[in-house]
Amino acid sequence: MKSTFKVLFYLKRNKKTKSDEMMIMTHITIDGNVCQFSTKQKINPKNWSIKLGKASGRSAEMVEINNLLDEIKASLYKVYYEMLRVDNYVTAEKVNNKFLGQNEECATLIEMFTKHNDDVKALLRSI
């Protein structure tokens, strides 16, 4: 099933740091459903192009920020197309979770401890 997919970057203007920098946010839209997360990058609004959705200027810092944003965008597209190929159903939340690594199930400490104890019991029985 084909769906619309868009990735945008914008500044979180309601929160400024002491140096007047703002966080760069990622905005994912799939079929009108939206999900967003922070890139953990800060930039002065004077160095941000709203029209292009990236840093303006050619300084090393601006080039580094733009390269990071390009990498994030490419990774999101890769996740999107992989999920579309495998699941044939993709949501903005699923792409966001997969990209951030939040969809992987992790064993709790108790589960790991129980498994360890069971393994040790099995070893002791075999002796």
Side-chain angles (χ1 to χ4, degrees):
M1 179 175 144
K2 188 75 172 159
S3 58
T4 60
F5 178 66
K6 188 133 180 135
V7 177
L8 301 170
F9 298 103
Y10 68 95
L11 297 182
K12 189 170 185 177
R13 296 196 179 271
N14 59 349
K15 286 193 176 183
K16 286 186 181 181
T17 61
K18 294 176 184 173
S19 59
D20 286 335
E21 292 183 329
M22 296 178 184
M23 293 297 292
I24 301 174
M25 302 293 291
T26 306
H27 184 93
I28 304 169
T29 307
I30 299 178
D31 293 335
N33 295 322
V34 176
C35 196
Q36 50 198 11
F37 63 92
S38 172
T39 62
K40 308 289 189 228
Q41 297 295 308
K42 297 176 186 173
I43 190 170
N44 190 313
K46 295 175 188 173
N47 297 328
W48 184 255
S49 170
I50 296 172
K51 183 178 178 183
L52 299 176
K54 61 182 185 177
S56 58
R58 298 188 188 271
S59 70
E61 182 184 5
M62 297 305 120
V63 170
E64 185 179 337
I65 288 173
N66 284 335
N67 287 340
L68 176 74
L69 297 179
D70 289 341
E71 287 177 24
I72 290 172
K73 193 172 198 175
S75 295
L76 286 168
Y77 271 92
K78 183 179 178 184
V79 167
Y80 169 75
Y81 285 115
E82 177 69 20
M83 292 180 87
L84 193 61
R85 185 180 62 79
V86 173
D87 299 339
N88 205 26
Y89 176 72
V90 184
T91 65
E93 190 70 31
K94 285 174 68 174
V95 170
N96 182 42
N97 290 341
K98 176 81 172 177
F99 176 76
L100 296 176
Q102 296 174 345
N103 65 335
E104 299 171 5
E105 294 204 12
C106 298
T108 64
L109 186 58
I110 293 173
E111 291 169 345
M112 291 174 62
F113 193 70
T114 303
K115 183 184 179 325
H116 169 74
N117 287 347
D118 292 342
D119 292 345
V120 170
K121 286 177 187 175
L123 283 172
L124 290 174
R125 285 185 199 134
S126 66
I127 293 179

